[in-house]
């Protein structure tokens, strides 16, 4: 079975907006927790790193299907490169919390067998067609398992 390499489009503008608001909210909560300095720190962050760091995070996201392996790159300071065989994927969950919804984004949570602690193996942010990509990955996973080409 031959499956071509297909790259997935990421809405980098929307993901950068999501990361910016996420950072600001985390700073505000931490600042409130630590004696009210959150507003000042959030303002300093928004005026300095606030525009460049979320943009760099969004630009670092790269997702593609390579045969029967889902690959995901992310990270600005600490680079993370994941290779997830489709036959290990147990579920693909589309997630849209309040902040993601406000930014018009979805996150595709990749659940695998054996990761433990209920944490996803990877989270793919800002996919252009999240429902279609989810269905495509599930279809290819099932087809690979049916044809016996899945590893393991």
């Amino acid at each position: 079975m031959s499956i071509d390499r297909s790259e997935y489009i990421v809405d980098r503008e929307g993901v950068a907006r999501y990361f910016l608001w996420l950072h600001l909210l985390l700073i505000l909560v931490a600042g409130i927790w630590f004696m009210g300095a959150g507003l000042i720190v959030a303002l300093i962050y928004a005026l300095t790193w606030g525009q460049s760091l979320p943009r760099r995070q969004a630009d670092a996201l790269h997702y593609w299907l390579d045969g029967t392996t889902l690959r995901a790159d992310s990270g600005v300071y600490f680079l993370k490169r994941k290779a997830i065989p489709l036959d290990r994927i147990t579920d693909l969950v589309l997630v849209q919390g309040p902040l993601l919804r406000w930014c018009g984004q979805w996150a595709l949570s990749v659940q695998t067998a054996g990761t433990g602690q209920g944490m996803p193996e990877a989270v793919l942010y800002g996919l252009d067609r999240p429902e279609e990509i989810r269905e495509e990955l599930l279809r290819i996973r099932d087809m690979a398992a049916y044809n016996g080409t899945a590893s393991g």
Side-chain angles (χ1 to χ4, degrees):
M1 177 174 143
S2 174
I3 299 173
D4 295 329
R5 175 184 162 127
S6 54
E7 297 192 28
Y8 298 117
I9 298 171
V10 175
D11 175 10
R12 298 191 191 290
E13 198 65 34
V15 173
R17 187 172 48 251
Y18 167 72
F19 285 148
L20 172 65
W21 284 106
L22 181 65
H23 294 173
L24 290 173
L25 286 173
L26 291 173
I27 290 168
L28 282 172
V29 169
I32 290 169
W33 185 261
F34 294 107
M35 303 302 188
L39 188 57
I40 295 168
V41 174
L43 182 61
I44 292 170
Y45 172 79
L47 294 174
T48 56
W49 281 8
Q51 296 302 313
S52 65
L53 183 59
R55 165 71 47 210
R56 289 175 63 195
Q57 281 182 293
D59 288 344
L61 298 177
H62 187 75
Y63 312 125
W64 71 99
L65 184 64
D66 190 9
T68 57
T69 303
L70 176 63
R71 299 188 182 270
D73 289 352
S74 64
V76 174
Y77 301 114
F78 297 93
L79 303 178
K80 187 186 323 182
R81 179 164 279 171
K82 292 258 187 179
I84 306 165
L86 291 182
D87 64 337
R88 284 193 46 228
I89 294 176
T90 56
D91 199 7
L92 295 166
V93 181
L94 282 171
V95 179
Q96 191 182 53
L99 187 55
L100 280 167
R101 187 174 306 122
W102 188 62
C103 295
Q105 299 299 307
W106 284 91
L108 183 64
S109 178
V110 181
Q111 306 285 338
T112 60
T115 54
Q117 302 176 5
M119 298 296 294
E121 182 78 23
V123 179
L124 312 182
Y125 291 100
L127 292 171
D128 184 37
R129 302 167 290 117
E131 293 93 359
E132 292 175 32
I133 291 171
R134 178 184 182 276
E135 293 304 316
E136 174 189 7
L137 290 172
L138 289 172
R139 180 181 51 75
I140 293 171
R141 177 201 65 182
D142 294 343
M143 189 169 48
Y146 177 77
N147 289 333
T149 60
S151 63

